[in-house]
Amino acid sequence: MSDATADPRFKRTAPKRPMKLSWSDERVRAIFWQVLVVGILVAIVWWLVTNTQRNLEIRRIATGWGFLQREAGLPIAEHMIDYSPTDNYLRALMVGVLNTLKVAIVGIILATILGTLIGIARLSKNWLVSKIAGIYVEVIRDLPLLLQLLFWYTILQGLPGPRQAINPIDGVFLSNRGLLLPWIQWEGAHTAALLAALVGFVLTWMYSDLMRAKQMEDGQPRRIWPIGILLIIGGPIAVWALLGAPFTPDVPALRGFNFRGGLVMSPEYFALLVGLVTYTSGFIAEIVRAGIQSVHSGQWEAAQALGLKPGVVLKQIVLPQALRVIVPPMTSQYLNITKNSSLAVAIGYQDIVSIANTTLNQTGQAIEGIAIIMAVYLSISLSISLFMNWYNSKIALVER
């Protein structure tokens, strides 16, 4: 008799056996092995801590975090916040963290865009476009990242000097001093406007989810773009106007033997960014290609039968379904960009690894320096993982 037709009165669960303090009881054995493993781990950690403390005392190496308040005397070429060598080590390390974040965030955005375009190009019906994209992926993925970083840095060092700089567009210069772009004279009001734009984007996303839920209830479509424009564009403009921030363009210009003004991307940062983006985009391209191919061909055929254009089909039908396959492995590539940025020390870019290494060499605080590096990368990686896991849960299929 099947379970579907069985009388529930005849269904009985086995009675729970009382635990016996005997090796023959599997529950006792399970508890014993768990306690043993935990005890071994605690003993190993205790031995490492005590052994480290004893060796530090023998060598008379001071420990603690007091060195963070001492004067660093460390010159840092690139810094997003005000810094001078007379500042303490704590501020120098903060500069290193911001430099690492600058590479990681910009690299993730650019690698996602480039990798997605190459992944789509690999599936193109144009033979030449598909083959070029395939060659790009195979070549980039087969070359070590460190070799690519050195290659790009050597290329940038071989560019002409400022007086003979390459000027493809008015206000844009490329030389052995880096890439210079027009910018604005950044003030506090610009930061406030940028924060307002981020808040507006989040509110627009929340409003879009709310309107979509109401549409599922009553079937009535609702416009989102008027509120979105008001929040994302109108809010920042209002903040910018109230705080009175000037919109003065800062165009780089040659002054003597070097450029002045504009947004400067040093050769070290530019080489690191280009190397990370091109290398990671090769892996992202394969992830995107696999995600698109995971969508059943019937989706394409049904959309084409309705007369939809290929671009609309890809954007509105295929990619939303492919994201469920793309997002999990894409998270690993985002983490790889962050961790691979530590190779910046090979080309002289001063990220958290470079500054922390210099700090521990000057102060002798090796354990604290390594702990800082580990804490920074662990915090960034966990933040990326939490965000991507949240996003993955948002786009997951809901069982009905």
Side-chain angles (χ1 to χ4, degrees), residues 109-391:
I109 295 173
L110 295 181
T112 302
I113 297 173
L114 181 59
T116 302
L117 293 177
I118 295 173
I120 296 174
R122 288 211 65 184
L123 299 174
S124 174
K125 295 181 179 180
N126 187 303
W127 182 87
L128 182 59
V129 172
S130 176
K131 291 303 179 182
I132 291 177
I135 293 173
Y136 173 88
V137 169
E138 295 301 328
V139 172
I140 288 295
R141 296 199 307 167
D142 290 341
L143 293 176
L145 175 57
L146 181 58
L147 179 61
Q148 295 187 42
L149 294 179
L150 295 174
F151 169 79
W152 289 113
Y153 185 64
T154 304
I155 292 295
L156 291 175
Q157 290 296 311
L159 291 175
R163 291 183 177 276
Q164 295 81 30
I166 301 173
N167 184 213
I169 305 175
D170 189 23
V172 178
F173 299 92
L174 181 62
S175 68
N176 57 10
R177 303 295 177 89
L179 176 65
L180 292 94
L181 304 170
W183 197 237
I184 59 175
Q185 296 181 3
W186 197 266
E187 296 184 5
H190 297 105
T191 303
L194 179 61
L195 293 176
L198 294 176
V199 173
F201 179 78
V202 173
L203 293 177
T204 302
W205 194 345
M206 297 172 61
Y207 178 75
S208 174
D209 288 344
L210 179 62
M211 292 299 101
R212 191 177 295 110
K214 289 186 177 181
Q215 182 179 352
M216 295 296 292
E217 293 177 359
D218 54 21
Q220 296 296 325
R222 293 172 172 83
R223 292 182 178 181
I224 300 174
W225 64 266
I227 302 297
I229 292 177
L230 181 63
L231 292 174
I232 298 176
I233 300 179
I237 292 177
V239 171
W240 173 75
L242 289 174
L243 296 179
F247 191 76
T248 306
D250 188 11
V251 181
L254 185 63
R255 297 287 187 272
F257 296 99
N258 203 353
F259 289 99
R260 295 290 184 272
L263 177 64
V264 181
M265 299 175 64
S266 67
E268 294 79 14
Y269 174 76
F270 193 45
L272 178 63
L273 185 63
V274 172
L276 287 175
V277 169
T278 54
Y279 179 76
T280 310
S281 64
F283 294 90
I284 291 178
E286 288 297 275
I287 294 172
V288 172
R289 180 184 64 83
I292 293 175
Q293 289 183 327
S294 69
V295 179
H296 196 274
S297 59
Q299 300 286 330
W300 288 93
E301 296 170 358
Q304 291 172 355
L306 294 174
L308 298 178
K309 296 181 179 180
V312 176
V313 177
L314 183 65
K315 179 181 177 181
Q316 301 292 339
I317 299 175
V318 176
L319 280 180
Q321 299 181 68
L323 281 176
R324 301 180 180 95
V325 179
I326 292 173
V327 169
M330 190 82 83
T331 304
S332 299
Q333 296 306 319
Y334 291 166
L335 296 177
N336 286 339
I337 288 181
T338 304
K339 292 181 290 186
N340 288 336
S341 66
S342 60
L343 293 174
V345 68
I347 57 176
Y349 180 71
Q350 292 175 296
D351 66 337
I352 183 60
V353 175
S354 175
I355 296 176
N357 282 335
T358 304
T359 299
L360 66 89
N361 287 330
Q362 291 180 350
T363 62
Q365 307 287 343
I367 296 177
E368 291 82 356
I370 298 299
I372 290 173
I373 296 174
M374 293 174 61
V376 168
Y377 280 105
L378 182 62
S379 301
I380 298 175
S381 298
L382 288 178
S383 301
I384 294 173
S385 298
L386 289 174
F387 175 78
M388 295 301 293
N389 289 338
W390 169 81
Y391 181 70

Side-chain angles (χ1 to χ4, degrees), residues 48-64 363-368:
L48 289 173
V49 172
T50 55
N51 187 56
T52 301
Q53 290 178 343
R54 184 170 59 254
N55 289 333
L56 290 174
E57 292 174 357
I58 293 173
R59 291 165 176 79
R60 297 181 180 181
I61 299 176
T63 58
T363 62
Q365 307 287 343
I367 296 177
E368 291 82 356

